[in-house]
């Protein structure tokens, strides 16, 4: 039985821990989870965080006390170390084969890309000018060496507006010009790099887009994991419906009305829904217990008349707000 205690973000442990007392939902759900273990119980927890923020009389805190007294404690870095890119060249083959996290992992990723011998598969839903320029130069060297390079990204039609669609197409052409094969995937969100079918990078970084300083990537060496991730991404793509592409508004004289395009229309309508952009506002679906996170991370504001939270669409990208978008 594996119990992951993470239910919130920031200083809030999450709505799950708000209940106290034996009849509370918190206590009942913890009892169900813990009592199901027949052989092994693995609990993933930031113990210091829980001790600091849980109520003193919380049954969840009693659980933490009991586990610390009776369970074997293993720190996260014992299981998956956090490494610096500069360490890669000095690691043994055994150490290289172990999964590891890399912060600010561009250098570590480039180290692997330069050593690819057969194929490079790069999944990046979004693209920005400077990262594409840098990666095109590096990937061009690999295609010139006979390496098959495939880049998966969203189609230009899925961009928010015509100017972004044109810019996205320019980036695609820039990659194709250096020998990359570019394939479009509707509504993709994966951030993955697979090298030679055996080295897997997976995490929160869109490698071809400008990303913040907190992005983290994990590195595996395992052909089976590469195949599994490929199958999972393909199955997910097949199961979810494609989002209708952006289209300009129909001319006024046209008899046919413009098609409804959720999450990307900007023309005014009476209905407000998560993903809509109107008057420069990108509307979100923010649960009550996560409103403080949305305000702190994205400066989200409440639209009382519409009954939705919103952010400045010119300042916050859909990627940054993906947690609260459909």
């Amino acid at each position: 039985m594996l119990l992951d205690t993470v239910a919130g973000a920031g200083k809030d442990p999450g709505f799950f821990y708000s209940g106290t007392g034996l009849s509370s939902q918190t206590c009942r759900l913890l009892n169900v989870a813990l009592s199901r273990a027949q052989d092994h119980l693995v609990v993933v927890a930031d113990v210091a965080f829980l001790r600091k923020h849980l109520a003193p009389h919380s049954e969840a805190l009693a659980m933490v006390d009991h586990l610390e007294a009776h369970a074997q404690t293993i720190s996260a870095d014992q299981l998956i170390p956090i490494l610096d890119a500069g360490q890669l060249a000095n690691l043994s083959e055994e150490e290289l084969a172990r999964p590891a996290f890399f912060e600010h992992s561009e250098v570590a990723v480039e180290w692997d890309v330069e050593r690819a011998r057969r194929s490079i598969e790069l999944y990046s839903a979004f693209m920005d000018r400077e990262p594409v320029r840098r990666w095109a130069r590096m990937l061009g060297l690999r295609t010139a060496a006979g390496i098959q390079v495939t880049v998966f990204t969203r189609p230009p039609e899925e961009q928010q507006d015509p100017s972004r669609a044109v810019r996205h197409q320019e980036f695609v052409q820039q990659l194709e010009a250096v020998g990359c094969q570019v394939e479009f995937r509707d509504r993709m969100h994966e951030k993955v790099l697979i090298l030679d079918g055996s080295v897997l990078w997976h995490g929160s970084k869109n490698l071809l887009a400008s990303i913040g300083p907190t992005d983290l990537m994990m590195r595996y060496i395992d052909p089976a994991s590469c195949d599994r991730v490929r199958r999972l991404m393909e199955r997910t793509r097949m199961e979810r419906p494609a989002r209708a592409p952006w289209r300009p508004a129909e001319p006024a004289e046209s008899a046919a009305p413009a098609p409804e395009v959720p999450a990307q229309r900007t023309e005014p309508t009476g209905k407000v829904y998560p993903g809509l952009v109107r008057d420069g506002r990108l509307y979100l679906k923010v649960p009550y217990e996560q409103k403080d996170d949305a305000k702190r991370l994205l400066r989200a504001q409440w639209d009382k008349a519409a009954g939705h939270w919103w952010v400045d669409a010119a300042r916050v990208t859909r990627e940054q707000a993906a947690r609260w978008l459909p």
Side-chain angles (χ1 to χ4, degrees):
M1 182 67 195
L2 177 62
L3 172 61
D4 185 351
T5 63
V6 178
K11 296 181 180 180
D12 183 5
F15 180 75
F16 175 79
Y17 295 103
S18 61
T20 58
L22 296 181
S23 62
S24 68
Q25 183 183 30
T26 301
C27 190
R28 287 188 287 109
L29 290 177
L30 284 175
N31 176 58
V32 169
L34 298 173
S35 63
R36 291 300 182 269
Q38 299 298 310
D39 186 48
H40 282 83
L41 171 65
V42 178
V43 179
V44 181
D46 185 338
V47 174
F49 177 86
L50 292 175
R51 286 198 175 283
K52 182 177 180 180
H53 295 288
L54 290 177
H57 56 286
S58 166
E59 285 75 21
L61 186 59
M63 175 196 73
V64 172
D65 290 336
H66 180 83
L67 291 173
E68 279 210 304
H70 299 284
Q72 178 187 3
T73 301
I74 303 175
S75 65
D77 57 359
Q78 286 180 271
L79 297 174
I80 305 176
I82 298 178
L83 300 178
D84 182 85
Q87 297 175 257
L88 274 171
N90 298 318
L91 295 178
S92 66
E93 290 299 321
E94 181 180 357
E95 291 171 322
L96 278 173
R98 287 189 60 194
F101 280 115
F102 289 84
E103 294 181 293
H104 314 297
S105 50
E106 293 94 340
V107 176
V109 170
E110 292 173 9
W111 186 87
D112 264 342
V113 168
E114 291 174 356
R115 285 157 181 77
R117 292 294 174 263
R118 299 188 310 278
S119 63
I120 298 172
E121 303 162 61
L122 194 160
Y123 296 76
S124 185
F126 305 98
M127 296 194 288
D128 291 323
R129 190 172 308 280
E130 180 55 31
V132 169
R133 185 191 64 80
R134 186 177 71 252
W135 274 90
R137 183 172 60 247
M138 178 169 41
L139 294 177
L141 295 175
R142 308 309 295 140
T143 59
I147 310 298
Q148 179 180 348
V149 178
T150 307
V151 175
F152 299 85
T153 188
R154 291 188 176 190
E157 294 80 8
E158 283 195 3
Q159 304 307 305
Q160 276 185 305
D161 54 57
S163 63
R164 294 190 182 187
V166 170
R167 188 163 62 246
H168 195 82
Q169 183 61 45
E170 291 175 353
F171 297 151
V172 170
Q173 294 170 351
Q174 190 174 346
L175 292 168
E176 290 177 334
V178 297
C180 300
Q181 178 181 345
V182 179
E183 296 189 12
F184 297 131
R185 293 171 60 95
D186 295 332
R187 297 190 65 184
M188 72 168 287
H189 195 68
E190 299 87 2
K191 297 100 169 175
V192 172
L193 177 69
I194 298 175
L195 305 165
D196 293 337
S198 60
V199 179
L200 171 67
W201 285 89
H202 182 270
S204 62
K205 180 186 291 296
N206 273 297
L207 291 168
L208 296 178
S210 299
I211 303 297
T214 60
D215 288 287
L216 199 66
M217 296 288 279
M218 178 181 282
R219 179 183 187 272
Y220 302 80
I221 295 185
D222 181 16
S225 293
C226 293
D227 289 338
R228 193 174 301 118
V229 167
R230 280 200 206 94
R231 290 198 302 271
L232 177 62
M233 291 190 295
E234 183 63 23
R235 186 169 69 246
T236 301
R237 185 183 70 85
M238 297 295 290
E239 289 176 354
R240 63 190 178 193
R243 178 179 299 172
W246 176 90
R247 294 184 180 91
E250 293 288 343
E253 65 272 17
S254 174
E260 183 73 15
V261 184
Q264 295 192 9
R265 283 182 59 178
T266 58
E267 62 269 23
T269 66
K271 182 181 179 183
V272 171
Y273 46 84
L276 173 72
V277 176
R278 179 189 292 170
D279 298 329
R281 296 180 175 186
L282 170 60
Y283 285 92
L284 309 176
K285 182 180 180 180
V286 180
Y288 178 80
E289 63 272 14
Q290 297 178 16
K291 62 182 178 63
D292 291 335
D293 294 341
K295 289 192 291 185
R296 176 175 55 83
L297 297 172
L298 303 180
R299 301 180 186 174
Q301 301 182 52
W302 176 250
D303 186 333
K304 185 176 181 180
H308 283 282
W309 289 90
W310 63 272
V311 293
D312 184 350
R315 186 182 62 83
V316 178
T317 67
R318 289 182 177 272
E319 173 67 8
Q320 292 170 320
R323 175 179 173 185
W324 295 296
L325 288 175

